[in-house]
């Protein structure tokens, strides 16, 4: 399912520091910040900063809740050009602060910013596990795709590392006594 994308272009050239200061303190220097706002239409949105051109390609952003700039509440910082905003309230206004990582007049960039809604997660619980294909040999040419944005944690007990607060489920029918399972082509804020 293709998610429609509306985007805006922007740049930090000539931008100056604005308040509030980030708290807790975010990575980078907000001396060239520019601001965007959106009204949430879902509990989860993906913020993407792309087409970065300029002296630097290191762009950070901060998400705030609230429409009144004097009473904003900082939700999170991102030193990645992609972030997933969870637990939003549909109908509420959110602000995005975008800035380059380093300080100084030479640290400038132009970019495109978009806020998208991920497709609905159909395999969020074990009972709705998505069937994954099994390849007969290497290389694996037949795969199943998945997405964690918008997924919630399951009540099953997990003893593995990490926090299963955004798990999705797959199942497969084994065709050998040993199976290699690979997660590939990851596009995310983390590859962990």
């Amino acid at each position: 399912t293709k998610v429609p994308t509306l985007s805006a272009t922007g740049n930090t050239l000539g931008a100056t520091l604005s308040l509030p200061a980030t708290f807790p303190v975010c990575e980078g220097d907000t001396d060239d910040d520019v601001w965007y706002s959106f009204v949430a239409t879902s509990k989860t949105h993906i913020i993407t900063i792309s087409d970065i051109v300029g002296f630097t390609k290191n762009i950070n952003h901060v998400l705030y809740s609230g429409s009144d700039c004097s009473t904003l509440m900082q939700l999170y910082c991102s030193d990645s050009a992609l972030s997933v905003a969870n637990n939003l309230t549909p109908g509420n206004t959110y602000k995005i602060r975008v800035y380059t990582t380093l300080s100084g007049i030479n640290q400038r960039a132009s970019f495109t910013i978009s806020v998208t809604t991920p497709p609905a997660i159909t395999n969020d619980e074990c009972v709705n596990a998505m069937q994954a294909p099994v390849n007969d040999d290497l290389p694996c040419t037949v795969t199943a795709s998945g997405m964690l944005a918008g997924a919630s944690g399951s009540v099953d007990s997990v003893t593995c590392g990490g926090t299963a607060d955004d798990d999705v489920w797959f199942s497969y029918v084994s065709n050998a006594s040993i199976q290699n399972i690979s997660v590939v082509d990851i596009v995310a804020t983390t590859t962990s």
Side-chain angles (χ1 to χ4, degrees):
T1 304
K2 180 150 175 66
V3 179
T5 302
L6 298 176
S7 61
T9 58
N11 70 68
T12 63
L13 179 62
T16 59
L17 173 69
S18 54
L19 295 176
T22 58
F23 185 80
V25 176
C26 297
E27 184 175 330
D29 192 327
T30 59
D31 66 335
D32 60 349
D33 58 6
V34 291
W35 292 79
Y36 298 87
S37 68
F38 69 95
V39 175
T41 59
S42 172
K43 291 176 67 176
T44 302
H45 286 294
I46 300 170
I47 299 170
T48 306
I49 301 173
S50 59
D51 304 324
I52 303 168
V53 177
F55 187 81
T56 183
K57 292 190 179 196
N58 295 326
I59 297 280
N60 296 357
H61 64 278
V62 183
L63 182 66
Y64 297 89
S65 64
S67 56
D68 182 352
C69 290
S70 64
T71 60
L72 295 176
M73 181 175 157
Q74 182 175 310
L75 299 179
Y76 68 82
C77 309
S78 178
D79 61 356
S80 170
L82 174 74
S83 72
V84 178
N86 288 311
N87 302 315
L88 303 179
T89 302
N92 282 7
T93 299
Y94 295 87
K95 303 237 186 239
I96 307 167
R97 180 186 216 170
V98 180
Y99 56 95
T100 60
T101 301
L102 300 174
S103 63
I105 195 164
N106 287 332
Q107 298 299 313
R108 61 185 182 274
S110 62
F111 54 87
T112 300
I113 184 169
S114 62
V115 178
T116 57
T117 304
I121 303 292
T122 59
N123 58 333
D124 196 24
E125 298 300 333
C126 180
V127 297
N128 297 324
M130 180 184 296
Q131 186 70 34
V134 176
N135 290 270
D136 292 327
D137 56 16
L138 294 174
C140 295
T141 56
V142 182
T143 61
S145 61
M147 178 178 275
L148 296 176
S152 61
S154 300
V155 293
D156 300 36
S157 175
V158 175
T159 57
C160 300
T163 304
D165 60 351
D166 58 353
D167 57 10
V168 292
W169 294 79
F170 294 87
S171 65
Y172 69 95
V173 177
S174 179
N175 63 358
S177 59
I178 297 175
Q179 297 284 182
N180 292 323
I181 300 172
S182 298
V183 179
V184 296
D185 300 329
I186 300 170
V187 177
T189 57
T190 180
T191 56
S192 298

